[in-house]
């Protein structure tokens, strides 16, 4: 009986060993190093050296069935995790999706090592303590389609070369401390969603508009932007526009009639609100607190 039990234990140990080998050794070493760089938070207590990181037991880790390489990493909603951004994340060469969310004590700047993630398609670093500028080297992430750096402590100006992201579909940078003017080079950015709201941008933002664009949503609210709205050319694809709480002047162009939602309140706009589309169906708060806008849903023009 003792011999059979011993053989069973040997068999089980071989099975456990083979299961642990399903996780690529390089990826496992990298994940354990990331855990160390994050000061071994209890959130990652399931990341154990002698277990398989690809069998769904490791928190936030997903491997591709085809090659057992880590392609998605999610770490979120933990106030006890306190450390700088772990540079070893750049050593997961097959990573396609990275989400770091609601980690207020994750601090420091975005490390250059992130540029080694050449397969990265979705990057979310949101509601963290990350600070410093958005680095120019972010433009090296050529596979990126989704970029969300919102609700952090990022400061400084926009990188001039963000337009180098050829596949980008969404750029979300709201609720930071970003400043300065919008680089003219951003005119070549052709994403579907742009959100720069709740920052400190100033000057002209007309680079985000134009007939040739494919943009569907633009939110520039709560900045210090100042440009002539009457000169804007709206892409046919544009459906949602929020430029409230700025210093924008001029009149509303006829293109606003094709929108599905609009907010231009708290600016310096003048003239009659165009008729047609959803303009008269919108709440008056969408147009209020301007210099001299008039017409339905505001009081009629004299």
């Amino acid at each position: 009986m003792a011999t059979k039990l011993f053989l069973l234990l040997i068999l089980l140990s071989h099975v456990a060993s083979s299961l642990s080998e399903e996780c690529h050794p390089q990826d496992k070493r990298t994940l354990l190093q990331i855990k160390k760089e994050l000061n071994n938070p209890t959130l990652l207590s399931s990341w154990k050296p002698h277990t398989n990181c690809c069998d769904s037991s490791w928190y936030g880790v997903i491997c591709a069935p085809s090659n057992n390489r880590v392609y998605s990493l999610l770490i979120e909603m933990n106030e006890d995790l306190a450390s700088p951004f772990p540079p070893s994340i750049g050593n997961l060469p097959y990573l396609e999706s990275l989400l770091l969310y609601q980690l207020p004590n994750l601090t420091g700047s975005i490390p250059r090592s992130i540029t080694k993630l050449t397969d990265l398609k979705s990057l979310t670093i949101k509601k963290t303590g990350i600070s410093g500028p958005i680095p120019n080297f972010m433009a090296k992430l050529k596979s990126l389609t989704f970029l969300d750096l919102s609700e952090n402590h990022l400061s400084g100006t926009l990188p001039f070369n963000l337009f180098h992201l050829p596949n980008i579909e969404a750029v979300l940078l709201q609720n930071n401390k970003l400043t300065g003017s919008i680089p003219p080079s951003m005119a070549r950015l052709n994403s579907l969603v742009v959100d720069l709201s709740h920052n400190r941008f100033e000057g002209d933002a007309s680079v985000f508009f134009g007939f040739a664009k494919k943009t569907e949503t633009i939110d520039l609210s709560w900045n210090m932007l100042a440009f002539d709205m009457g000169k804007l050319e709206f892409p046919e694809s544009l459906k949602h526009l929020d430029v409230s709480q700025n210093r924008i002047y001029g009149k509303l162009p006829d293109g606003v009639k094709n929108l599905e939602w609009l907010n231009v309140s708290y600016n310096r706009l003048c003239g009659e609100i165009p008729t047609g589309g959803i303009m008269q169906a919108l709440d008056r708060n969408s147009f209020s607190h301007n210099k001299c806008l008039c017409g339905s849903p505001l009081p009629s023009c004299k």
Side-chain angles (χ1 to χ4, degrees):
M1 182 67 180
T3 302
K4 289 182 178 179
L5 181 60
F6 176 75
L7 291 175
L8 179 60
L9 290 173
I10 292 292
L11 176 62
L12 290 175
S13 68
H14 281 299
V15 170
S17 176
S18 63
L19 285 174
S20 65
E21 289 172 0
E22 289 180 12
C23 177
H24 194 279
Q26 177 187 335
D27 288 354
K28 178 183 281 190
R29 285 193 299 270
T30 296
L31 291 169
L32 293 173
Q33 180 61 28
I34 292 170
K35 179 181 177 181
K36 181 179 179 181
E37 292 170 358
L38 292 173
N39 295 320
N40 298 304
T42 54
L43 180 68
L44 304 182
S45 59
S46 60
W47 293 17
K48 298 176 181 178
H50 302 296
T51 58
N52 176 16
C53 74
C54 289
D55 68 356
S56 76
S57 65
W58 283 41
Y59 167 85
V61 176
I62 301 177
C63 299
S66 58
N67 57 9
N68 286 329
R69 303 302 299 261
V70 176
Y71 81 91
S72 179
L73 179 61
L74 179 154
I75 303 174
E76 64 174 351
M77 301 179 69
N78 189 274
E79 295 186 1
D80 297 328
L81 188 154
S83 77
F85 193 110
S88 291
I89 280 180
N91 296 327
L92 294 170
Y94 288 82
L95 199 64
E96 295 185 11
S97 176
L98 173 61
L99 190 152
L100 304 173
Y101 173 68
Q102 205 164 320
L103 304 171
N105 296 311
L106 180 70
T107 58
S109 57
I110 300 172
R112 181 174 290 273
S113 60
I114 204 170
T115 60
K116 294 189 288 184
L117 302 176
T118 55
D119 288 343
L120 196 64
K121 294 180 174 61
S122 177
L123 174 59
T124 297
I125 305 172
K126 181 174 183 177
K127 289 191 175 182
T128 77
I130 292 296
S131 59
I134 300 174
N136 283 323
F137 56 67
M138 296 291 289
K140 294 185 177 180
L141 298 172
K142 301 297 185 184
S143 299
L144 210 60
T145 61
F146 182 86
L147 175 63
D148 186 351
L149 301 179
S150 60
E151 300 185 60
N152 295 299
H153 300 280
L154 297 170
S155 59
T157 58
L158 277 182
F160 73 94
N161 58 353
L162 271 185
F163 71 90
H164 284 160
L165 298 171
N167 302 303
I168 197 71
E169 296 179 356
V171 178
L172 309 177
L173 306 177
Q174 69 268 24
N175 290 88
N176 279 288
K177 301 175 183 178
L178 298 168
T179 59
S181 58
I182 308 297
S185 59
M186 295 292 282
R188 286 179 269 179
L189 187 69
N190 203 20
S191 60
L192 301 179
V193 179
V194 176
D195 192 339
L196 306 184
S197 63
H198 292 267
N199 280 287
R200 300 170 186 171
F201 292 116
E202 57 190 36
D204 191 356
S206 58
V207 295
F208 295 116
F209 299 86
F211 286 134
K213 297 280 189 179
K214 299 179 181 178
T215 317
E216 297 176 0
T217 298
I218 298 176
D219 191 342
L220 304 175
S221 61
W222 291 90
N223 281 286
M224 298 180 289
L225 297 166
F227 55 91
D228 188 345
M229 191 166 183
K231 295 182 179 180
L232 296 182
E233 296 178 345
F234 286 4
E236 291 184 4
S237 57
L238 188 62
K239 300 303 179 187
H240 299 85
L241 175 62
D242 191 343
V243 293
S244 60
Q245 301 282 349
N246 278 286
R247 301 169 182 175
I248 299 168
Y249 54 91
K251 65 178 183 179
L252 291 177
D254 285 340
V256 296
K257 296 186 296 186
N258 300 321
L259 299 174
E260 296 179 357
W261 190 84
L262 173 70
N263 191 345
V264 296
S265 61
Y266 290 90
N267 277 290
R268 300 171 182 178
L269 296 165
C270 269
E272 187 169 6
I273 297 170
T275 57
I278 63 157
M279 289 300 98
Q280 283 63 53
L282 289 170
D283 188 278
R284 62 183 299 152
N285 291 330
S286 294
F287 304 98
S288 63
H289 296 278
N290 272 284
K291 186 177 180 181
C292 48
L293 272 184
C294 57
S296 179
L298 296 180
S300 60
C301 301
K302 295 180 181 180

